[in-house]
Every structure is written in C-alpha cells, then in structure tokens.
Amino acid sequence: MLNLIIFGAPGSGKGTQSEKIIDNYGLYHISTGEVLRDHIARGTELGKIADKYISQGQLIPDDLMISILDDVLDKNSHLTTKGVIFDGFPRTIPQAEALTTLMDKRNMKVDAVVGLEVNENELIDRILKRGQETHRADDNLETVKKRLDVYHHQTTPLREYYIDKGLYHPIQGSGSVDSIFNSIKTRLDNL
Ligand code: AMP
C-alpha cells in the first residue's frame, strides 16, 4: 500500500501529476477541490456552503473539511486497497493532524509528501490559462491572488511540518509534465 499527499500551490500541477501517479501506481485519487465542486454542481447543502468560500478564494473551515474527508474515506474503502493520493488535503496544520488520526483508525499511514515547487509568476500564468480553458469559476485574477495569499499563510507551514517528519520530497515543478513525473517516480521508487 502506498499513501501519498501531493502538495503545492494552486496551479503547481497537483491534478496533472496525480493522474500520472494514479496510472502508474493504481492509487485512489481524493481531490477535495473536486469533491467540493461536485457538491456545488449538484446543488447540495454542502455545495451551497462550499461555494461561498471557494468563490472568495478562502478555505472551507477545518472541521467541515475533515468530516467530508472522513466520509469520502468511509464510502470508498473498497477502492483504497492499493493506497490513496490526497490532492488538495491537508491545507492547514489542524487538517494534517486530523489526517494522521483518520489514517490511524484505518491502519493506514502517509508514506510520502510530494511537494511541487513552482515560482509565483508561473503559477499565476498557469491558473489564468486553466481558467480560460476550463471556465473554472475560481481561476480568475482576483480570486487567484487571494488563493495564493491563503496558500502562503495557511498552507506553506505544512512544508516544514512534513520536512520535520522526514516525509517531504521537494520536486521542481517547472518543465514538461513527463520530466516532472520522472522526478516524482524516481523518488517514489526509492522510498
Ligand atoms: P483545489 O481544487 O484543490 O484548488 O481547491 C479549490 C478550492 O476548494 C480551494 O480554493 C478551497 O476553497 C477549497 N478547498 C479544497 N480543498 C480544501 C481543503 N483541504 N481545505 C479547505 N478548503 C479546501
């Protein structure tokens, strides 16, 4: 079993590299952003709450996000036997601590954190391009700036947190999709 966190700023390529990791290692993909967008599209109560935060570039409150993740893990336990790739979670220290508890109670653990490192100008360019291509509602300049700000304040402390645990693997996230994936694969195959 291999359980990974793919970590990085908005636009760092987490979704793209997750797909390649899944193809290679047969992991189950849990993207909290996708889970929330699905709720919004279906017009659920949770979707209505999530939409307020997402459209402002803010994080969904920790307690709510943690209970959503617990639920996703419960409902998909039959799909997670080879392992899970967490994409977009955790985004705060309390979420990271909760993840350890959620994994413990299922006899699972995080094996590695793959940290995609991309400079800020490239992040903004990539997100705006994605906004034009996919019409994702929060991929506009105003929201992007807020999301990057939230990332720097609330999420970057996780880098140190996982370095201290010896789990963090920095990956240069610029360059071709395949060359980035090769760097990831080299790390994962040597765990
Ligand atoms: P993403 O697709 O991962 O970029 O997530 C899109 C948006 O969903 C974020 O900007 C947040 O508003 C919300 N979101 C996704 N994952 C989380 C999380 N782990 N904690 C709080 N909010 C989240």
Coordinates of all heavy atoms in Angstrom, one line a residue, residues 74-159:
D74 N -14.7 6.6 4.2 CA -15.6 5.5 4.5 C -16.3 5.0 3.3 O -16.4 3.8 3.1 CB -16.7 6.1 5.5 CG -16.3 6.0 6.9 OD1 -15.3 5.3 7.2 OD2 -16.9 6.6 7.7
K75 N -16.8 5.9 2.4 CA -17.6 5.4 1.3 C -16.8 4.7 0.2 O -17.3 4.0 -0.6 CB -18.3 6.7 0.7 CG -19.4 7.2 1.6 CD -20.4 8.0 0.8 CE -21.6 8.3 1.7 NZ -21.7 9.7 2.0
N76 N -15.5 5.0 0.2 CA -14.6 4.4 -0.8 C -13.6 3.4 -0.3 O -12.7 3.1 -1.0 CB -14.0 5.5 -1.6 CG -15.0 6.5 -2.3 OD1 -15.6 6.1 -3.2 ND2 -15.2 7.6 -1.7
S77 N -13.9 2.9 0.9 CA -12.8 2.0 1.5 C -12.5 0.8 0.5 O -11.4 0.3 0.5 CB -13.3 1.5 2.8 OG -14.5 0.8 2.7
H78 N -13.5 0.4 -0.3 CA -13.2 -0.8 -1.2 C -12.3 -0.4 -2.3 O -11.8 -1.2 -3.0 CB -14.5 -1.3 -1.7 CG -15.3 -0.3 -2.5 ND1 -15.8 0.9 -1.8 CD2 -15.7 -0.2 -3.8 CE1 -16.5 1.6 -2.7 NE2 -16.4 1.0 -3.9
L79 N -12.1 0.9 -2.6 CA -11.2 1.4 -3.7 C -9.8 1.8 -3.3 O -9.0 2.1 -4.1 CB -11.9 2.6 -4.4 CG -13.3 2.4 -5.0 CD1 -13.9 3.7 -5.4 CD2 -13.2 1.4 -6.1
T80 N -9.6 1.7 -1.9 CA -8.3 2.3 -1.4 C -7.3 1.3 -1.1 O -6.3 1.6 -0.4 CB -8.6 3.2 -0.2 OG1 -9.2 2.4 0.8 CG2 -9.5 4.4 -0.6
T81 N -7.5 0.0 -1.5 CA -6.6 -1.1 -1.0 C -5.2 -0.9 -1.5 O -4.3 -1.3 -0.8 CB -7.2 -2.4 -1.5 OG1 -7.5 -2.3 -2.9 CG2 -8.3 -2.9 -0.7
K82 N -5.0 -0.3 -2.7 CA -3.6 -0.1 -3.1 C -3.0 1.2 -2.5 O -1.8 1.4 -2.6 CB -3.5 0.0 -4.7 CG -3.6 -1.4 -5.4 CD -3.2 -1.2 -6.8 CE -3.2 -2.5 -7.5 NZ -2.9 -2.3 -9.0
G83 N -3.9 2.0 -2.1 CA -3.4 3.3 -1.5 C -4.1 4.5 -2.0 O -4.9 4.3 -3.0
V84 N -3.9 5.6 -1.5 CA -4.6 6.8 -1.8 C -3.6 8.0 -2.2 O -2.5 8.0 -1.6 CB -5.5 7.3 -0.6 CG1 -6.2 8.6 -0.9 CG2 -6.4 6.2 -0.2
I85 N -4.0 8.8 -3.1 CA -3.3 10.1 -3.3 C -4.2 11.2 -2.9 O -5.3 11.4 -3.4 CB -2.7 10.2 -4.7 CG1 -1.9 11.5 -4.8 CG2 -3.7 10.1 -5.8 CD1 -0.9 11.5 -5.9
F86 N -3.8 11.9 -1.9 CA -4.5 13.1 -1.4 C -4.1 14.3 -2.1 O -2.9 14.7 -2.1 CB -4.3 13.3 0.1 CG -4.9 12.2 1.0 CD1 -4.0 11.1 1.4 CD2 -6.2 12.1 1.3 CE1 -4.5 10.1 2.2 CE2 -6.7 11.0 2.1 CZ -5.8 10.0 2.5
D87 N -5.0 15.0 -2.8 CA -4.7 16.1 -3.6 C -5.6 17.3 -3.1 O -6.8 17.3 -3.2 CB -5.1 15.7 -5.1 CG -5.1 16.8 -6.1 OD1 -4.9 18.0 -5.7 OD2 -5.5 16.5 -7.3
G88 N -4.9 18.3 -2.6 CA -5.6 19.4 -2.0 C -5.9 19.3 -0.5 O -6.6 20.1 0.0
F89 N -5.5 18.2 0.1 CA -5.7 18.0 1.5 C -4.4 17.3 2.0 O -4.0 16.4 1.4 CB -6.9 17.1 1.7 CG -7.3 17.0 3.2 CD1 -8.3 17.7 3.7 CD2 -6.6 16.1 4.0 CE1 -8.7 17.6 5.0 CE2 -7.0 16.0 5.4 CZ -8.0 16.8 5.9
P90 N -3.9 17.7 3.2 CA -4.3 18.8 4.0 C -3.9 20.1 3.5 O -2.9 20.2 2.8 CB -3.6 18.4 5.4 CG -2.4 17.7 4.9 CD -2.7 17.0 3.7
R91 N -4.5 21.2 4.0 CA -4.2 22.6 3.6 C -3.8 23.4 4.9 O -3.5 24.6 4.7 CB -5.3 23.2 2.9 CG -5.2 23.1 1.3 CD -6.4 23.8 0.7 NE -6.2 24.3 -0.6 CZ -6.5 23.7 -1.7 NH1 -7.0 22.5 -1.7 NH2 -6.4 24.3 -2.8
T92 N -4.0 22.8 6.0 CA -3.7 23.5 7.3 C -3.1 22.5 8.2 O -3.2 21.3 8.0 CB -5.0 24.1 8.0 OG1 -5.8 23.0 8.3 CG2 -5.7 25.0 7.1
I93 N -2.4 23.0 9.3 CA -1.8 22.1 10.3 C -2.9 21.2 11.0 O -2.8 20.0 11.1 CB -0.9 22.8 11.3 CG1 0.2 23.6 10.6 CG2 -0.5 21.9 12.4 CD1 1.4 22.7 10.3
P94 N -4.0 21.9 11.4 CA -5.1 21.0 12.0 C -5.6 19.9 11.1 O -5.9 18.8 11.5 CB -6.2 22.0 12.3 CG -5.5 23.3 12.5 CD -4.4 23.3 11.6
Q95 N -5.6 20.2 9.8 CA -6.1 19.1 8.8 C -5.0 18.0 8.8 O -5.3 16.9 8.7 CB -6.3 19.7 7.4 CG -7.5 20.6 7.3 CD -7.7 21.1 5.8 OE1 -7.2 20.6 4.9 NE2 -8.6 22.1 5.7
A96 N -3.7 18.4 8.8 CA -2.7 17.4 8.8 C -2.7 16.5 10.0 O -2.6 15.3 9.9 CB -1.3 18.1 8.6
E97 N -3.0 17.1 11.2 CA -3.1 16.3 12.4 C -4.3 15.4 12.3 O -4.2 14.2 12.7 CB -3.2 17.3 13.6 CG -1.8 17.9 13.9 CD -1.8 19.0 14.8 OE1 -2.8 19.5 15.2 OE2 -0.6 19.4 15.2
A98 N -5.4 15.9 11.8 CA -6.6 15.1 11.7 C -6.4 14.0 10.7 O -6.9 12.8 10.9 CB -7.8 16.0 11.2
L99 N -5.6 14.2 9.6 CA -5.3 13.2 8.7 C -4.6 12.0 9.3 O -5.0 10.8 9.1 CB -4.5 13.7 7.5 CG -4.2 12.7 6.4 CD1 -5.5 12.2 5.7 CD2 -3.4 13.3 5.3
T100 N -3.7 12.3 10.2 CA -3.0 11.2 10.9 C -4.0 10.4 11.7 O -3.9 9.1 11.6 CB -1.9 11.8 11.9 OG1 -1.1 12.7 11.1 CG2 -1.1 10.8 12.5
T101 N -4.9 11.0 12.4 CA -5.9 10.3 13.2 C -6.8 9.5 12.3 O -7.1 8.3 12.5 CB -6.8 11.3 14.0 OG1 -5.9 12.2 14.6 CG2 -7.7 10.6 15.0
L102 N -7.3 10.1 11.2 CA -8.2 9.4 10.2 C -7.5 8.2 9.6 O -8.1 7.1 9.4 CB -8.6 10.3 9.1 CG -9.5 11.5 9.4 CD1 -9.9 12.3 8.2 CD2 -10.7 11.0 10.2
M103 N -6.2 8.3 9.3 CA -5.4 7.2 8.8 C -5.2 6.1 9.8 O -5.4 4.9 9.6 CB -4.1 7.7 8.2 CG -4.2 8.7 7.1 SD -4.7 8.1 5.6 CE -3.1 7.6 4.9
D104 N -4.8 6.5 11.0 CA -4.5 5.6 12.1 C -5.7 4.7 12.3 O -5.5 3.5 12.5 CB -4.3 6.3 13.4 CG -2.8 6.7 13.6 OD1 -2.0 6.3 12.8 OD2 -2.5 7.5 14.6
K105 N -6.9 5.2 12.4 CA -8.0 4.4 12.7 C -8.4 3.4 11.6 O -9.2 2.5 11.8 CB -9.3 5.2 13.1 CG -10.0 6.0 12.1 CD -11.3 6.6 12.7 CE -12.1 7.2 11.6 NZ -13.2 8.1 12.1
R106 N -7.8 3.6 10.4 CA -7.9 2.6 9.3 C -6.7 1.8 9.1 O -6.5 1.2 8.0 CB -8.3 3.4 8.0 CG -9.7 4.1 8.1 CD -10.0 5.0 7.0 NE -11.3 5.5 7.0 CZ -11.7 6.6 7.6 NH1 -10.8 7.4 8.2 NH2 -13.0 6.9 7.6
N107 N -5.8 1.9 10.0 CA -4.5 1.2 9.9 C -3.7 1.6 8.7 O -3.1 0.8 8.0 CB -4.6 -0.3 9.9 CG -5.0 -0.8 11.3 OD1 -4.5 -0.3 12.3 ND2 -6.0 -1.8 11.3
M108 N -3.8 2.9 8.4 CA -3.0 3.4 7.2 C -2.1 4.5 7.7 O -2.2 5.0 8.8 CB -4.0 4.1 6.2 CG -5.0 3.1 5.5 SD -6.4 4.0 4.8 CE -5.8 4.5 3.2
K109 N -1.1 4.9 6.8 CA -0.2 6.0 7.2 C 0.2 6.7 5.9 O 0.2 6.1 4.8 CB 1.0 5.5 8.0 CG 1.9 4.6 7.2 CD 3.2 4.3 8.1 CE 4.1 3.4 7.4 NZ 4.5 3.6 6.0
V110 N 0.6 7.9 6.1 CA 1.1 8.7 4.9 C 2.6 8.2 4.7 O 3.4 8.3 5.6 CB 1.1 10.2 5.2 CG1 1.8 11.0 4.1 CG2 -0.4 10.7 5.3
D111 N 2.9 7.8 3.5 CA 4.3 7.3 3.2 C 5.2 8.4 2.6 O 6.4 8.4 2.8 CB 4.2 6.2 2.1 CG 3.5 5.0 2.7 OD1 3.9 4.4 3.7 OD2 2.4 4.6 2.2
A112 N 4.6 9.4 1.9 CA 5.4 10.5 1.3 C 4.5 11.6 1.0 O 3.3 11.5 0.6 CB 6.1 10.0 0.1
V113 N 5.2 12.8 1.0 CA 4.5 14.0 0.6 C 5.3 14.5 -0.6 O 6.5 14.8 -0.5 CB 4.5 15.1 1.7 CG1 3.9 16.4 1.2 CG2 3.8 14.6 2.9
V114 N 4.7 14.6 -1.8 CA 5.4 15.0 -3.0 C 5.1 16.5 -3.1 O 3.9 16.9 -3.3 CB 4.8 14.3 -4.2 CG1 5.4 14.8 -5.5 CG2 5.1 12.8 -4.1
G115 N 6.1 17.4 -2.9 CA 5.9 18.8 -2.9 C 6.3 19.4 -4.3 O 7.5 19.5 -4.6
L116 N 5.3 19.9 -5.0 CA 5.6 20.5 -6.3 C 6.0 22.0 -6.1 O 5.2 22.8 -5.6 CB 4.4 20.4 -7.3 CG 4.0 19.0 -7.6 CD1 2.7 19.0 -8.4 CD2 5.2 18.3 -8.5
E117 N 7.2 22.4 -6.5 CA 7.7 23.7 -6.2 C 7.8 24.5 -7.5 O 8.6 24.1 -8.4 CB 9.0 23.6 -5.5 CG 8.9 22.7 -4.2 CD 9.9 22.9 -3.1 OE1 11.0 23.4 -3.4 OE2 9.5 22.6 -2.0
V118 N 7.0 25.6 -7.6 CA 6.9 26.4 -8.9 C 6.9 27.8 -8.5 O 6.3 28.2 -7.5 CB 5.6 26.0 -9.6 CG1 5.4 26.9 -10.9 CG2 5.5 24.5 -9.9
N119 N 7.6 28.7 -9.3 CA 7.6 30.1 -8.9 C 6.3 30.8 -9.1 O 5.5 30.4 -9.9 CB 8.8 30.8 -9.5 CG 8.6 31.2 -10.9 OD1 7.6 31.7 -11.3 ND2 9.6 30.9 -11.7
E120 N 6.1 31.9 -8.4 CA 4.8 32.6 -8.3 C 4.3 33.0 -9.6 O 3.1 32.9 -10.0 CB 4.9 33.7 -7.3 CG 3.7 34.4 -7.0 CD 3.1 34.0 -5.6 OE1 3.7 33.1 -4.9 OE2 2.1 34.6 -5.2
N121 N 5.2 33.7 -10.5 CA 4.7 34.2 -11.8 C 4.2 33.1 -12.6 O 3.2 33.2 -13.3 CB 5.8 34.9 -12.5 CG 6.1 36.2 -11.8 OD1 5.3 36.8 -11.1 ND2 7.3 36.8 -12.1
E122 N 4.9 31.9 -12.6 CA 4.4 30.8 -13.4 C 3.1 30.3 -12.9 O 2.2 29.9 -13.7 CB 5.5 29.7 -13.4 CG 5.2 28.6 -14.5 CD 6.3 27.7 -14.7 OE1 7.5 28.0 -14.3 OE2 6.1 26.6 -15.2
L123 N 2.9 30.3 -11.6 CA 1.6 29.8 -11.0 C 0.5 30.6 -11.6 O -0.5 30.1 -12.0 CB 1.7 29.9 -9.5 CG 2.6 29.0 -8.7 CD1 2.6 29.3 -7.2 CD2 2.1 27.5 -8.9
I124 N 0.6 31.9 -11.5 CA -0.5 32.8 -11.9 C -0.8 32.6 -13.4 O -1.9 32.4 -13.8 CB -0.1 34.3 -11.6 CG1 0.0 34.5 -10.1 CG2 -1.2 35.2 -12.2 CD1 0.4 35.9 -9.6
D125 N 0.3 32.5 -14.2 CA 0.1 32.3 -15.7 C -0.7 31.0 -15.9 O -1.6 31.0 -16.7 CB 1.4 32.2 -16.4 CG 2.1 33.5 -16.6 OD1 1.4 34.6 -16.2 OD2 3.3 33.6 -17.0
R126 N -0.3 30.0 -15.2 CA -0.9 28.6 -15.4 C -2.4 28.7 -15.0 O -3.2 28.1 -15.7 CB -0.2 27.6 -14.6 CG 1.1 27.1 -15.1 CD 1.5 26.0 -14.3 NE 2.9 25.5 -14.4 CZ 3.4 24.5 -13.7 NH1 2.7 23.8 -12.9 NH2 4.7 24.2 -13.9
I127 N -2.7 29.3 -13.9 CA -4.0 29.3 -13.4 C -5.0 30.1 -14.3 O -6.1 29.6 -14.6 CB -4.2 29.8 -11.9 CG1 -3.3 29.0 -11.0 CG2 -5.6 29.8 -11.5 CD1 -3.2 29.5 -9.6
L128 N -4.5 31.2 -14.8 CA -5.3 32.0 -15.7 C -5.5 31.3 -17.0 O -6.6 31.3 -17.6 CB -4.6 33.4 -15.9 CG -4.5 34.3 -14.7 CD1 -3.9 35.6 -15.0 CD2 -5.9 34.5 -14.0
K129 N -4.5 30.6 -17.5 CA -4.7 29.8 -18.7 C -5.7 28.7 -18.4 O -6.6 28.4 -19.3 CB -3.3 29.2 -19.1 CG -3.3 28.5 -20.4 CD -1.8 28.4 -20.9 CE -1.7 27.5 -22.1 NZ -1.3 26.1 -21.7
R130 N -5.6 28.0 -17.3 CA -6.6 27.0 -17.0 C -8.0 27.6 -16.9 O -9.0 27.0 -17.4 CB -6.3 26.3 -15.6 CG -7.2 25.2 -15.2 CD -6.7 24.4 -14.0 NE -6.8 25.2 -12.8 CZ -6.3 24.9 -11.6 NH1 -5.6 23.8 -11.5 NH2 -6.4 25.7 -10.6
G131 N -8.1 28.8 -16.3 CA -9.5 29.4 -16.3 C -10.1 29.6 -17.6 O -11.3 29.4 -17.9
Q132 N -9.2 30.0 -18.6 CA -9.7 30.2 -20.0 C -10.1 28.9 -20.6 O -11.1 28.9 -21.3 CB -8.6 30.9 -20.8 CG -8.4 32.4 -20.6 CD -7.1 32.9 -21.2 OE1 -6.3 32.2 -21.7 NE2 -6.9 34.2 -21.0
E133 N -9.4 27.9 -20.3 CA -9.7 26.6 -20.9 C -10.8 25.8 -20.3 O -11.6 25.2 -21.0 CB -8.4 25.7 -20.9 CG -7.3 26.1 -21.9 CD -6.0 25.5 -21.6 OE1 -5.8 24.7 -20.7 OE2 -5.0 25.9 -22.3
T134 N -10.9 25.9 -19.0 CA -11.9 25.1 -18.3 C -13.1 25.9 -17.7 O -14.1 25.3 -17.3 CB -11.3 24.3 -17.1 OG1 -10.9 25.3 -16.1 CG2 -10.1 23.5 -17.6
H135 N -13.0 27.2 -17.7 CA -14.0 28.1 -17.2 C -14.2 27.8 -15.7 O -15.3 27.9 -15.2 CB -15.3 28.0 -17.9 CG -15.1 28.3 -19.4 ND1 -14.8 29.6 -19.8 CD2 -15.2 27.5 -20.5 CE1 -14.7 29.5 -21.2 NE2 -14.9 28.3 -21.6
R136 N -13.2 27.2 -15.0 CA -13.3 27.0 -13.6 C -13.5 28.4 -12.9 O -12.7 29.3 -13.1 CB -12.0 26.3 -13.1 CG -12.2 25.8 -11.7 CD -11.0 25.0 -11.3 NE -10.6 25.4 -10.0 CZ -9.7 24.8 -9.3 NH1 -9.1 23.7 -9.7 NH2 -9.4 25.2 -8.1
A137 N -14.6 28.4 -12.1 CA -15.1 29.7 -11.6 C -14.0 30.5 -10.8 O -14.0 31.7 -10.8 CB -16.3 29.6 -10.8
D138 N -13.2 29.8 -10.0 CA -12.2 30.5 -9.1 C -10.9 30.7 -9.8 O -10.0 31.2 -9.1 CB -12.1 29.7 -7.8 CG -11.6 28.3 -7.9 OD1 -11.6 27.8 -9.1 OD2 -11.2 27.7 -6.9
D139 N -10.8 30.4 -11.1 CA -9.5 30.7 -11.8 C -9.5 32.1 -12.5 O -9.2 32.2 -13.7 CB -9.2 29.6 -12.8 CG -8.7 28.3 -12.2 OD1 -8.3 28.3 -11.0 OD2 -8.6 27.3 -12.9
N140 N -9.8 33.1 -11.7 CA -9.7 34.5 -12.3 C -8.7 35.2 -11.4 O -8.4 34.9 -10.3 CB -11.1 35.1 -12.3 CG -11.6 35.2 -10.9 OD1 -11.1 36.0 -10.0 ND2 -12.6 34.4 -10.6
L141 N -8.2 36.3 -12.0 CA -7.0 37.0 -11.3 C -7.3 37.4 -9.9 O -6.5 37.1 -9.0 CB -6.6 38.2 -12.2 CG -5.3 38.9 -11.7 CD1 -4.1 37.9 -11.7 CD2 -5.0 40.1 -12.6
E142 N -8.5 37.9 -9.6 CA -8.8 38.4 -8.3 C -8.7 37.2 -7.3 O -8.1 37.3 -6.2 CB -10.1 39.1 -8.3 CG -10.4 39.9 -7.0 CD -11.9 40.3 -7.0 OE1 -12.5 40.3 -8.0 OE2 -12.3 40.6 -5.9
T143 N -9.4 36.2 -7.6 CA -9.5 35.0 -6.7 C -8.2 34.3 -6.6 O -7.8 33.9 -5.5 CB -10.6 34.0 -7.2 OG1 -11.7 34.8 -7.5 CG2 -10.9 33.0 -6.1
V144 N -7.4 34.3 -7.7 CA -6.1 33.6 -7.7 C -5.2 34.3 -6.7 O -4.5 33.6 -5.9 CB -5.4 33.7 -9.1 CG1 -4.0 33.3 -9.0 CG2 -6.2 32.8 -10.1
K145 N -5.2 35.6 -6.7 CA -4.3 36.3 -5.7 C -4.7 36.0 -4.3 O -3.8 35.8 -3.4 CB -4.4 37.8 -6.0 CG -3.7 38.2 -7.3 CD -3.2 39.6 -7.4 CE -2.3 39.8 -8.6 NZ -2.5 41.1 -9.2
K146 N -6.0 35.9 -4.0 CA -6.4 35.6 -2.7 C -6.0 34.1 -2.3 O -5.6 33.8 -1.2 CB -8.0 35.7 -2.6 CG -8.4 37.1 -2.4 CD -9.9 37.1 -1.9 CE -10.5 38.4 -2.3 NZ -11.8 38.3 -2.8
R147 N -6.2 33.2 -3.3 CA -5.8 31.8 -3.1 C -4.4 31.7 -2.8 O -4.0 30.9 -1.9 CB -6.3 30.9 -4.3 CG -7.8 30.7 -4.3 CD -8.3 30.3 -5.6 NE -7.7 29.0 -6.1 CZ -7.7 28.7 -7.4 NH1 -8.1 29.5 -8.3 NH2 -7.2 27.5 -7.8
L148 N -3.5 32.4 -3.5 CA -2.1 32.3 -3.3 C -1.7 32.9 -1.9 O -0.9 32.4 -1.2 CB -1.3 33.0 -4.4 CG -1.3 32.3 -5.7 CD1 -0.7 33.2 -6.8 CD2 -0.5 31.0 -5.6
D149 N -2.4 34.0 -1.5 CA -2.2 34.6 -0.2 C -2.6 33.6 0.9 O -1.9 33.3 1.9 CB -3.1 35.8 -0.1 CG -2.7 36.7 1.0 OD1 -1.4 37.0 1.1 OD2 -3.5 37.2 1.7
V150 N -3.8 32.9 0.7 CA -4.2 31.9 1.7 C -3.2 30.8 1.7 O -2.8 30.3 2.8 CB -5.6 31.4 1.3 CG1 -5.9 30.1 2.0 CG2 -6.7 32.4 1.5
Y151 N -2.7 30.4 0.6 CA -1.7 29.3 0.5 C -0.5 29.7 1.3 O 0.0 28.9 2.1 CB -1.3 29.0 -1.0 CG -0.2 28.0 -1.1 CD1 -0.5 26.6 -0.9 CD2 1.1 28.4 -1.3 CE1 0.5 25.7 -1.0 CE2 2.1 27.4 -1.4 CZ 1.8 26.1 -1.2 OH 2.8 25.2 -1.3
H152 N 0.0 30.9 1.1 CA 1.3 31.3 1.8 C 1.1 31.4 3.3 O 2.0 31.0 4.1 CB 1.8 32.7 1.3 CG 2.3 32.5 -0.1 ND1 3.2 31.6 -0.5 CD2 2.0 33.2 -1.3 CE1 3.5 31.7 -1.8 NE2 2.8 32.7 -2.3
H153 N -0.1 31.8 3.7 CA -0.3 32.0 5.2 C -0.7 30.7 5.9 O -0.2 30.4 6.9 CB -1.4 33.1 5.5 CG -0.8 34.4 5.2 ND1 -1.0 35.1 4.1 CD2 0.0 35.2 6.0 CE1 -0.4 36.3 4.2 NE2 0.2 36.4 5.3
Q154 N -1.6 29.9 5.2 CA -2.2 28.8 5.9 C -1.6 27.4 5.6 O -1.6 26.5 6.4 CB -3.7 28.8 5.7 CG -4.4 30.0 6.4 CD -5.9 30.0 6.2 OE1 -6.3 30.8 5.3 NE2 -6.6 29.2 6.8
T155 N -1.1 27.3 4.3 CA -0.7 26.0 3.8 C 0.8 25.8 3.9 O 1.2 24.7 4.2 CB -1.3 25.8 2.4 OG1 -2.7 26.0 2.5 CG2 -1.1 24.3 2.0
T156 N 1.6 26.8 3.5 CA 3.0 26.6 3.5 C 3.7 26.1 4.8 O 4.6 25.3 4.7 CB 3.9 27.8 3.0 OG1 3.4 29.0 3.7 CG2 3.7 28.1 1.5
P157 N 3.1 26.4 6.0 CA 3.7 25.8 7.2 C 3.7 24.2 7.1 O 4.5 23.6 7.8 CB 2.8 26.3 8.3 CG 2.2 27.5 7.8 CD 2.0 27.3 6.3
L158 N 2.9 23.7 6.3 CA 2.9 22.2 6.2 C 4.2 21.7 5.6 O 4.5 20.5 5.8 CB 1.7 21.7 5.3 CG 0.3 21.9 5.9 CD1 -0.7 21.5 4.9 CD2 0.2 21.0 7.2
R159 N 4.8 22.5 4.8 CA 6.1 22.1 4.2 C 7.1 21.7 5.3 O 7.6 20.6 5.4 CB 6.6 23.2 3.3 CG 7.8 22.8 2.5 CD 8.2 23.9 1.5 NE 9.3 23.6 0.7 CZ 10.6 23.7 1.1 NH1 10.9 24.1 2.3 NH2 11.6 23.3 0.3

